[in-house]
Amino acid sequence: MAPPNKDNLFGSKKQAAPAKANQLDSTVKEILASEQAMRARKTARLRELRLEKEASQPPPEPKMKAKRKTAKASEAAKSESEK
């Protein structure tokens, strides 16, 4: 056994910080990956439900734009109704 000194009794603080940082990085990466997988599953499920709903509904009828009345036409209609 080696004689006790500060390095073999307490360890090097320079090695502890990178080890903690690596552990934290890997934990964060695992959490982010699991959250991303959950988002992807939810998005796929919602997309599937939306497509089923759209397939079951009849296609919407095209909307016709309302024709604008010009000022001259509205004045002519008023004058005819007054007669």
Side-chain angles (χ1 to χ4, degrees):
M1 188 166 156
N5 62 22
K6 69 175 185 171
D7 289 333
N8 64 12
L9 286 178
F10 301 108
S12 174
K13 291 186 179 185
K14 290 182 182 179
Q15 291 176 357
K20 275 189 171 182
N22 289 336
Q23 183 182 9
L24 181 64
D25 286 346
S26 64
T27 304
V28 168
K29 287 178 184 178
E30 288 175 10
I31 291 170
L32 291 176
S34 68
E35 288 177 351
Q36 195 275 335
M38 287 180 0
R39 264 194 316 275
R41 282 194 306 265
K42 183 178 179 181
T43 301
R45 182 177 57 86
L46 291 174
R47 180 180 294 124
E48 194 174 303
L49 290 172
R50 178 179 51 84
L51 292 174
E52 287 176 8
K53 181 180 176 184
E54 288 176 356
S56 67
Q57 292 178 347
E61 295 180 15
K63 295 181 180 179
M64 307 249 332
K65 290 186 178 180
K67 293 184 180 179
R68 288 187 182 180
K69 292 184 178 179
T70 60
K72 292 179 183 178
S74 62
E75 288 177 13
K78 284 183 184 178
S79 65
E80 287 180 18
S81 64
E82 291 176 0
K83 290 184 181 180

